[in-house]
Amino acid sequence: MARKNSRRESGSGSIRQRDNGTWEARYTVGYDPETGKQIRRSIYGKSQKEVSTKLRQITNEIDTGIYTAPCDIKFGSWLDTWLAEYLVGRSPLTVSAYEGNCRNYIKPALGNVRLDAITPVMVQKLINSLSAQNLSAKTVKNVHGVIHRAFEQAIRIGYLRNNPASVCNLPKVVKPHVKPLSDSQITAFIHKLYETEHPFIILYLVTLFTGMRQGEVLGLSWDDVDFERGTISIHQQLRKLKGQGNGYELARPKDGDSRLIKPAAAVMDLLRQQQQRQYDMMKIADCAWHNPDNLVFTNEMGGHLVHVTVYKAYKSIMKEIGIPNTRFHDLRHTFAVVSLENGDDVKTVQENLGHATASFTLDVYGHVNDRMRKESAERMDSFIHSISEF
């Protein structure tokens, strides 16, 4: 005769009134694989009806396989674990930015709350408070992104069932207006470079006529310049490590993928000039010359250039020609707009800039200026006259 299994089945429960008048419901969620003992949990309420309702909900979740055990981990502790263990492969700058958002904004507000006790309303209140502090919409969106990613990882490993950050209303991010240099400003810039025989003249012109990012042009190696084919391979950038005195590293480009560009022949001529200039510097430096990464743009001893030095020198030139508010990145914008104005298709511009998609390029540079509108109208007018008797 089969023995009756007296062990309580998973999902079953019992209710009792406690000495203090409150009610407790206990339920079974399975057995400890090591000891074989039942895993029992309790829920509490002010009335028998309250705990009975909670118990029915929990046992139904157990029966249907959607039950998630209570998690007593504080959100701040989970953030520490997530930052340390689940960001492998992210760039040091990204990790540092996440750490800063956790330290400055998220932990002070939610760090001491239990992970499974955080509600969508709590997250929304945090988002609203950040907006009230006059933080930019982009910063607020970045903070929300960290919260959302941390919760998503908690869901993947079974700590949570739903993401309380998924239903937040975020402030609208206003795209910054692209401010390319005008033709007259480009001319004034180039004249000033040659007039002063600026030491960064070739670096600035190569940036202007290729659209490379600052880190990409500073990390450009002679190994990536093919004079025979007239091409430049962009597969790395010189990136400053976060934190004072942490130095620099050569890393993948911003969007992760390498790209091959074929710039104007004049750009390749500029690079030949730079090669000769660097050769002259190497002869003067003699045994002190040290350029282990074979970089195109270096200081007099072969070392890499520093971002802030290149940037400040650029700002100084722009101040002299009357446009002090322009940024180094505007050289990249200028290349893109000039390319589009002179007939390059969006796909070509996208590939030259290293954007992930053509739609992103259109989103950034889709505005049509007066000259492009006028030329479009003239082309259509020519077409109409070519097929009609107007």
Side-chain angles (χ1 to χ4, degrees):
M1 182 184 237
R3 290 179 60 188
K4 183 177 179 181
N5 190 343
S6 62
R7 297 196 303 177
R8 190 180 297 272
E9 297 296 327
S10 294
S12 61
S14 61
I15 298 176
R16 72 179 182 92
Q17 189 172 25
R18 306 169 74 201
D19 292 340
N20 62 4
T22 62
W23 289 80
E24 175 188 13
R26 303 199 72 195
Y27 59 96
T28 304
V29 292
Y31 298 89
D32 189 309
E34 294 184 1
T35 66
K37 294 182 179 180
Q38 290 181 343
I39 300 175
R40 303 274 286 163
R41 300 191 187 281
S42 295
I43 49 176
Y44 303 94
K46 295 180 179 179
S47 67
Q48 184 178 11
K49 182 179 179 180
E50 179 185 348
V51 295
S52 179
T53 300
K54 291 179 179 179
L55 181 61
R56 282 198 302 272
Q57 180 181 349
I58 290 174
T59 54
N60 180 63
E61 290 175 355
I62 294 173
D63 292 340
T64 55
I66 63 172
Y67 172 76
T68 302
C71 178
D72 59 1
I73 300 173
K74 296 292 182 67
F75 189 40
S77 297
W78 168 242
L79 288 173
D80 291 338
T81 299
W82 176 69
L83 290 168
E85 306 298 340
Y86 291 96
L87 296 182
V88 177
R90 299 272 184 169
S91 74
L93 285 179
T94 297
V95 174
S96 180
Y98 286 2
E99 290 173 342
N101 284 330
C102 290
R103 180 176 59 254
N104 297 326
Y105 307 118
I106 305 172
K107 284 185 178 181
L110 299 174
N112 288 323
V113 183
R114 246 177 46 175
L115 182 62
D116 62 355
I118 295 177
T119 66
V121 173
M122 291 180 181
V123 180
Q124 186 66 60
K125 284 183 177 179
L126 170 57
I127 296 302
N128 294 345
S129 70
L130 296 178
S131 298
Q133 295 173 35
N134 293 323
L135 293 178
S136 70
K138 185 175 186 301
T139 298
V140 175
K141 185 176 181 181
N142 289 342
V143 172
H144 172 266
V146 172
I147 298 172
H148 191 276
R149 292 184 186 97
F151 278 132
E152 282 297 301
Q153 189 61 56
I155 291 171
R156 292 189 192 100
I157 63 177
Y159 285 166
L160 296 176
R161 194 169 63 211
N162 298 307
N163 191 328
S166 293
V167 291
C168 283
N169 291 326
L170 302 177
K172 185 177 180 180
V173 177
V174 179
K175 292 185 298 184
H177 182 62
V178 172
K179 296 180 180 179
L181 302 180
S182 66
D183 289 355
S184 61
Q185 289 172 334
I186 294 173
T187 301
F189 176 54
I190 295 174
H191 282 172
K192 177 60 69 172
L193 290 175
Y194 279 105
E195 176 188 314
T196 58
E197 297 183 352
H198 200 281
F200 297 151
I201 179 173
I202 297 178
L203 185 155
Y204 292 149
L205 293 180
V206 168
T207 303
L208 174 62
F209 296 133
T210 63
M212 282 192 279
R213 301 178 178 93
Q214 184 184 26
E216 292 171 348
V217 73
L218 294 182
L220 184 64
S221 167
W222 287 116
D223 300 330
D224 300 323
V225 179
D226 190 330
F227 287 110
E228 184 176 340
R229 292 183 174 84
T231 60
I232 298 174
S233 174
I234 301 172
H235 71 90
Q236 65 184 22
Q237 62 169 321
L238 183 68
R239 183 170 63 190
K240 189 179 187 303
L241 296 174
K242 195 74 172 180
Q244 188 173 0
N246 285 340
Y248 291 77
E249 67 173 357
L250 289 172
R252 300 281 291 174
K254 181 179 178 182
D255 292 323
D257 294 329
S258 301
R259 66 187 187 276
L260 185 72
I261 64 173
K262 189 173 180 63
V267 172
M268 303 308 292
D269 289 340
L270 286 169
L271 289 172
R272 289 188 180 90
Q273 294 176 36
Q274 175 62 18
Q275 199 171 48
Q276 182 59 52
R277 290 180 63 176
Q278 194 177 79
Y279 179 72
D280 294 339
M281 288 192 298
M282 184 169 56
K283 286 198 301 183
I284 295 172
D286 198 18
C287 61
W289 179 263
H290 185 63
N291 183 12
D293 297 307
N294 202 22
L295 296 178
V296 172
F297 297 104
T298 65
N299 59 28
E300 294 84 353
M301 298 300 174
H304 68 78
L305 296 175
V306 177
H307 291 67
V308 67
T309 301
V310 173
Y311 178 78
K312 286 183 176 180
Y314 170 80
K315 292 290 286 184
S316 178
I317 296 169
M318 290 306 186
K319 184 177 181 180
E320 289 184 41
I321 63 176
I323 44 175
N325 294 327
T326 188
R327 306 166 305 160
F328 189 90
H329 200 71
D330 290 330
L331 294 178
R332 177 172 164 86
H333 290 320
T334 301
F335 167 79
V337 171
V338 169
S339 297
L340 291 169
E341 286 180 343
N342 284 277
D344 283 357
D345 62 89
V346 173
K347 186 65 178 175
T348 299
V349 175
Q350 172 224 330
E351 291 175 351
N352 284 337
L353 293 174
H355 287 162
T357 63
S359 61
F360 179 82
T361 306
L362 276 174
D363 190 43
V364 177
Y365 301 106
H367 58 285
V368 182
N369 63 23
D370 291 339
R371 185 203 303 184
M372 293 174 71
R373 291 192 186 94
K374 181 173 180 294
E375 290 175 351
S376 175
E378 290 174 349
R379 285 193 297 270
M380 182 56 68
D381 191 56
S382 297
F383 173 73
I384 292 172
H385 283 287
S386 69
I387 62 172
S388 308
E389 295 181 0
F390 290 105

